[in-house]
Each structure stands twice: as C-alpha cells, then as structure tokens.
Amino acid sequence: MAKKRHAYTEEFRREAVRRADQPGNTAASVAKELELHPGQIYNWRRQFTRLSEKQFNTMDGVDYSRKESEEVRRLKRELNEARKENEFLKKAAAYFAKHQE
C-alpha cells in the first residue's frame, strides 16, 4: 500500500522545527507527537539553516518558490522560441541577400 504524501504548510514546518528546538524536546519526540518521521524535522531544520528566514524558497537572493519557478520555465520557453525565430530570420535574410545580387 502506498503511503499518503502530505503537503505541509510553511507555518506547520516552522512550528515543528521551533518545538523540536525547545529545551526538553527532541526532533523524535515532536515527530512522534505530530505523527511524522523524525528525519522530516531534521530535513526542515537543515533547510531553515541553509535558506533565508523568508521561506524555504529563497537562497542567496534567488526565489525558488513555485510561482517563481513557473515564471522561469515560461521565460525559458519564450527565450527558446525567440532563438529559433532569430535563427530562421538570419537564414531568411542570408537567402534573400544572396538572391538579390
């Protein structure tokens, strides 16, 4: 049977890490209470230390959020199309320049 995957909110993740960092608590105890695998809290803690305070999405001024990633993918597609059009226009210009002589 496949395990059900959960999409935890940023607030939930922050609270879980904060609680695990409180005196008298451990990642394992908080994970058991929240019905998580302890490794999940360790992963979230590592992400917090690696990434900025804004969210897990930002690192070194680069926004890795879903919205930003979608825009980057859209812009890459547009750039690819523009490059193809540019190559076509170069070939067309060379063809017409050659036949005008």
Side-chain angles (χ1 to χ4, degrees), residues 10 15 26 37 49 51 64 66-67 70 80 89 95:
E10 175 188 356
E15 181 64 17
T26 65
H37 188 278
T49 57
L51 303 176
Y64 292 101
R66 181 181 196 117
K67 179 182 174 189
E70 288 170 358
N80 190 32
L89 292 173
Y95 173 82

Side-chain angles (χ1 to χ4, degrees), residues 1-36:
M1 177 180 229
K3 289 187 178 184
K4 186 176 179 181
R5 295 181 65 94
H6 294 280
Y8 298 104
T9 65
E10 175 188 356
E11 183 179 343
F12 179 88
R13 294 180 282 184
R14 285 185 183 278
E15 181 64 17
V17 171
R18 186 190 67 74
R19 287 175 55 190
D21 289 340
Q22 288 179 337
N25 284 343
T26 65
S29 67
V30 173
K32 184 176 182 180
E33 183 181 325
L34 297 175
E35 298 179 358
L36 299 170

Side-chain angles (χ1 to χ4, degrees), residues 90-101:
K90 283 181 186 179
K91 290 176 183 177
Y95 173 82
F96 287 117
K98 184 176 176 182
H99 285 80
Q100 279 187 332
E101 297 172 356

Side-chain angles (χ1 to χ4, degrees), residues 54-68:
K54 261 179 138 173
Q55 212 301 23
F56 296 165
N57 301 336
T58 306
M59 186 164 109
D60 297 329
V62 178
D63 185 353
Y64 292 101
S65 66
R66 181 181 196 117
K67 179 182 174 189
E68 194 74 17

